[in-house]
Amino acid sequence: MFTPADPETFNPLVWQIVHQIPFGKVTSYGQIASMIPPPPNFDPLRYAHVRARWVGTALRLSSGVDLPWHRVINSRGMISHLPQFGGMEEQRRRLEAEGVVFDEDDRVDFRQVGWEGPAPEWLAERGLLPPKKLK
DNA sequence: CGTTTGACTACGC
DNA sequence: CGCGTAGCCAAAC
């Protein structure tokens, strides 16, 4: 499906998945990555170490693509953004506008607003895998 | 070209 | 729990 250094295939897959996240739900970089199988001839172990970061990169390069990018946060339930870029507050604002609640530690409760992933048929049609669960 | 920098995670203290 | 860090590599300098 794609080669190790083929973001031209990987990134659009990420975008397609992000596009499926429903209003008021969130998921993590790692969970999205877990739906995308490792590239052929790519060590699965190594892939496991980099895939979440690849998702972050894909999102960073997604300007111009119409996406609910704000619904993607890190595995600890927090917004991952550098303070320098104002995007952090923007992301929180968008999520709260969708009813997502942050606790006193600036974290969301995946049990409440965590996305369980696309329908199995949707994944199967694209050769994708069922996501790992969120904590 | 060589170096630095990330929209990440899992794991060990 | 919180905090630091190794692991890893595509983009951006």
Side-chain angles (χ1 to χ4, degrees):
Chain A
M1 199 181 348
F2 47 79
T3 62
D6 185 11
E8 302 204 350
T9 303
F10 186 88
N11 293 354
L13 273 176
V14 171
W15 299 334
Q16 284 184 60
I17 293 170
V18 172
H19 194 70
Q20 299 301 309
I21 309 174
F23 183 97
K25 294 289 184 180
V26 300
T27 188
S28 73
Y29 302 93
Q31 197 199 29
I32 290 172
S34 72
M35 302 180 206
I36 304 177
N41 307 318
F42 198 92
D43 178 19
L45 212 57
R46 210 183 325 173
Y47 180 64
H49 281 296
V50 300
R51 58 190 191 173
R53 235 168 150 85
W54 284 6
V55 171
T57 301
L59 248 45
R60 183 163 50 83
L61 300 176
S62 69
S63 56
V65 187
D66 187 29
L67 284 181
W69 55 269
H70 55 282
R71 297 177 190 147
V72 185
I73 60 182
N74 67 32
S75 64
R76 291 168 16 228
M78 301 178 73
I79 291 173
S80 279
H81 260 298
L82 297 179
Q84 57 178 66
F85 183 57
M88 193 157 91
E89 292 177 2
E90 167 74 11
Q91 185 166 5
R92 175 161 178 156
R93 204 149 41 74
R94 289 188 184 214
L95 286 174
E96 289 180 327
E98 298 188 0
V100 174
V101 176
F102 289 80
D103 65 18
E104 58 279 359
D105 295 320
D106 300 319
R107 295 195 303 197
V108 308
D109 185 359
F110 279 130
R111 290 171 305 182
Q112 264 201 100
V113 295
W115 181 43
E116 55 291 326
E121 313 87 55
W122 190 94
L123 291 169
E125 285 170 15
R126 294 162 179 74
L128 301 178
L129 311 168
K132 66 174 186 178
K133 297 206 169 183
L134 293 166
K135 287 179 298 186

